[in-house]
Amino acid sequence: MDYNFTEIEKKWQEYWEQNQIFEVEIDNSRPKYYVLDMFPYPSGAGLHVGHPLGYIASDIYSRYKRHCGFNVLHPMGFDAFGLPAEQYAIQTGQHPAITTNNNISRYRKQMLKIGFSYDWSREVKTCDPKYYKWTQWAFIKMFKHWFNNKTNKAEPIDKLIEIFEKEGNLNVDAACNKCRQFDSRQWKTMSEKQRQEILLHYRLAYQAETMVNWCPELGTVLANDEVKEGVSLRGGHPVFQKKMKQWFLRVTAYAERLLDGLEELQWSESLKEIQRNWIGRSEGASIWFEIAPLESGKQIDETIEVFTTRPDTIFGATYMVLAPEHSLVEKITAGEYKNGVKKYIEETNKKTERERLEEAGSITGQFTGAYAKHPFSGDLIPIWISDYVLSDYGTGAIMAVPAHDSRDYDFAKHFSLPITEVISGGDISEGAYDSLEGTLVNSNFLNGLKVVDAINKVISELERQGIGEKKINYRIRDAIFSRQRYWGEPFPVYYKNDIPYVLEEDQLPLVLPEVDSYQPTEEGEPPLARAKNWKTKEGYPLEVSTMPGFAGSSAYYIRYMDPHNEKELVSKEANEYWRDVDLYIGGTEHATGHLIYSRFWNKFLYDTGMVCREEPFKKLVNQGMIHGRSNFVYRIKNTNKFVSSNLKDKYDVTPIHVDINLVHNDILDTGAFRKWSPEYRDAEFILEEDGKYHCGHAIEKMSKSMYNVVTPDEIIEQYGADTLRMYEMFLGPIDQSKPWDTKGIEGVHKFLKKTWRLFHDKNNKPNISEENPTEEELKILHTAIKKVTEDIERFSFNTSVSAFMICVNHLYSLKCNKRKILEDLIIILSPFAPHISEELWRVLGKKESIADAPFPEYNPSYLKEDLKKYPITFNGKVKLNLELPAGLSPGEIEEKVINDENVKKYLGEKKVKKVIVVPDKIVNIVV
RNA sequence: GCGGAUGUGGCGGAAUUGGUAGACGCGUCAGACUUAGGAUCUGAUGCCUCACGGCGUGGGGGUUCGAGUCCCUCCAUCCGCACCA
């Protein structure tokens, strides 16, 4: 074999490692560039060919930036805590650390073989106590901070205590849980426990009892982004709403900043849109409804707060609805309705999230027997409960305006509640009219106003009377931060008097203890409750929940800057040098989870002065998925006969996935198929005219069960890592999903072989000419330099691969082996195919790694042409081509074209109406 | 329902700003060299048509000398959100 990729790749991978070529240090003489991959969760199945797509792209970009003189930080690590390893531990009893470490070493081995330019000395593992020390540390910091809405940032809780001591919380505007008001005198008379309870309402990491997503199957609560369509993202288990005490991160405090911060980021519009949706900002008003004296005559002095985006329709509010979980429900329910309400709440609680979603649209509800007072008219409006009002959006209560909201309309029709039109323009006998077009009617002081004006007027009136205010509401919820699981970071929290306190920083890391089983205890406590001596030195019990998966991944990009620092998360020096991630590559699946949490986490660290950039990821590229290409055989039902794809319609068949390794170009190796599984040993085949069995195919997810998994390892063995890298890029645009089809790989492999042959003679001996290149050769080279440079800059790696092919094909046909051409060629190729480039670099006699060779700049003067080929079109249709000298004026071109013999021939009798000349491009003759 | 993306040969895709649609590669066909080919090399290859020529970028309409690219409209697929008040 001429091009012995196996030997070459091994050689240079060892060279890079031994010479620490890709280990980087702070170097103030060079500009930094930080390229980051979303670090993987190492699953048991290993990497398939789809996983490294983004890593290859980022590696190309990293190597390119390095050629351009940047000091490139390009690290890799592992998101190592998580459910799969723990589920496996529950099944087998094997400690999840063992599974995880095995998987990590397999992943690392697979990645090393692809030849990435990672600085492995900076590798982090989230399950390593040296690493999670800083996750726990950040939690403590959040616990010790609150969010001041006035300054719009996090501030130390000590400052808040000072304020409380001086003036209570009367003037404090904080992002906090509902909290009663108190003055300094009251604060001073409070017990330690009472004070701590109040402070918990303000902390950025806080504990609270609210409705959470409870997944019994996994035995844990889940964050909103871990639940999709009412089932857990991992495993697809049903999820219930349950009231529980849990840890939260006050992400909502940063809602506005998370939204505003998106503007400046170079992320795809769709990703930003997903985040905007998730944050879900809506403008409207808060309105406080008084509760009318109950039937019993009892007066409840609490008000029902509702949020509405349409305060203009307030005179159309004919009833109110509370979420069944609303805290006032019990208090206001009148005696005769108590049973009905109780029953309704029980039924709601029984439903899983999924059932609730599925039943959306079916109308259920229950009257409480209580009435609220309309804030302007004073009319009594009945208060209902219904699960169409969600407890965790807005205030969990609405004013229902059936005439102008379709859900309220349906509800009102169903329960025969009054419908009052307040915006003209619709027909409320037909349905709700929710348009913003129209004029206010039946609305007292709003009559005659347009909707927008009415909104403004009613808000100022609400504020004037002190019964409501302008309000911006967010859909985003605080992140549930505790999991009733074993394999995660322990909370640095202990309990005294049932009040949580955090450990001192010098007691970190709080190491995950050993347990005898990974199951919950018999009392339903999390696995950590099994740990012996799980308490502080003083004997206080430690928290038994652990942190969720996103905890460890929220600041890992910061840790890479200074991964071995035992004193700080990151030194000031390292942080100020590396600053932020310039390029972040990963999948869209993290759009609402990781990418929101890390932005939140980073903003918090920014507020406290611990990092210097407010947004962590300047530019983000989402790589598309690579799907598998499956093959099918068609078994005739109830037989062991298999019919070829094109004949299958004549029979009643069952398609069966067949291992793609038994199939070449969709032709089944029938012998191998018989050996594949005993049940097919006696299989018979109905072949096509060509005597072959043709398989069907489909593009599907790559998965073991579909027998369509292709691993990087098998590709590397057969073609080498450089071929794998180039082929992955060649498949198509990085951000699009595309199918993997191994058979196409020959093209890029041939290209690399051809490149090799440019440098070698027939006997595979290096053969480089010192002659000066011709103009033609320079033009070929510089066309490629220009194209590849531009393509890399805009992440169009597929087109740069074809540029290389064109260039090498050209040079090959000219038998060009001139040093002055090949040197530059091999540098621009090296980010894509680093091993062969490093090898051919030595063939050119170089002693140092190609990784530091300066990237060649293209010289426009080599691209100039003396003759330009002009397509001549008639009414826009190309009829012929003319070669004209470059640099002619449009007038001269027109003259030459009109007088050209061939053009005249085409014209014949037709008259020329107009000639359009686009210099260097085209000539259009209008006839 | 709302929001976003995508739609180009048999296949993956190219055409960066309105200027020769189908680059590059796979596959297919033909040929060369071969004992052989799932090796290598050369050539052809959008569709219809014997040809002249015509038709072609999801469908329909428009702007323009000229549209894959811009505008309107419809359709399909994928993704995100969804009883969000």
Side-chain angles (χ1 to χ4, degrees), chain A residues 209-212 214 241-245 325 327:
Chain A
E209 185 169 54
T210 59
M211 299 305 285
V212 295
W214 171 250
Q241 291 299 301
K242 195 174 167 186
K243 199 161 204 178
M244 288 176 85
K245 197 183 229 185
E325 301 88 349
S327 58

Side-chain angles (χ1 to χ4, degrees), chain A residues 32 400 404 429 445 475 482 504 597 654 844 890:
Chain A
K32 70 95 188 189
H404 305 287
S429 65
F445 62 93
R475 195 186 75 99
S482 37
E504 291 303 315
Y597 298 129
T654 316
L844 291 169

Side-chain angles (χ1 to χ4, degrees), chain A residues 582-594:
Chain A
D582 295 281
L583 173 66
Y584 196 21
I585 296 192
T588 6
E589 66 272 20
H590 297 110
T592 47
H594 165 61

Side-chain angles (χ1 to χ4, degrees), chain A residues 319-323 365-368 370 382-386 411 415 417:
Chain A
Y319 64 101
M320 295 187 81
V321 186
L322 306 185
Q366 171 65 46
F367 179 46
T368 61
I383 303 171
W384 286 65
I385 60 169
S386 170
F411 192 87
F415 290 108
L417 293 158

Side-chain angles (χ1 to χ4, degrees), chain A residues 482-496:
Chain A
S482 37
R483 299 291 179 273
Q484 290 61 51
R485 302 286 296 196
Y486 174 72
W487 193 228
E489 300 86 349
F491 281 83
V493 166
Y494 63 92
Y495 291 88
K496 200 160 82 182

Side-chain angles (χ1 to χ4, degrees), chain A residues 114-125:
Chain A
I114 305 176
F116 294 127
S117 61
Y118 292 129
D119 176 353
W120 284 104
S121 74
R122 291 174 185 259
E123 175 185 342
V124 300
K125 285 185 255 183

Side-chain angles (χ1 to χ4, degrees), chain A residues 592-633:
Chain A
T592 47
H594 165 61
L595 287 174
I596 290 267
Y597 298 129
S598 358
R599 291 183 61 222
F600 155 78
W601 203 286
N602 194 81
K603 280 176 192 295
F604 166 70
L605 294 176
Y606 173 78
D607 282 355
T608 57
M610 291 180 272
V611 300
C612 64
R613 302 290 289 169
E614 181 166 1
E615 283 289 342
F617 314 122
K618 209 184 286 172
K619 181 177 174 70
L620 186 142
V621 172
N622 282 123
Q623 88 264 22
M625 298 242 289
I626 291 191
H627 293 111
R629 189 176 188 280
S630 315
N631 276 116
F632 297 94
V633 293

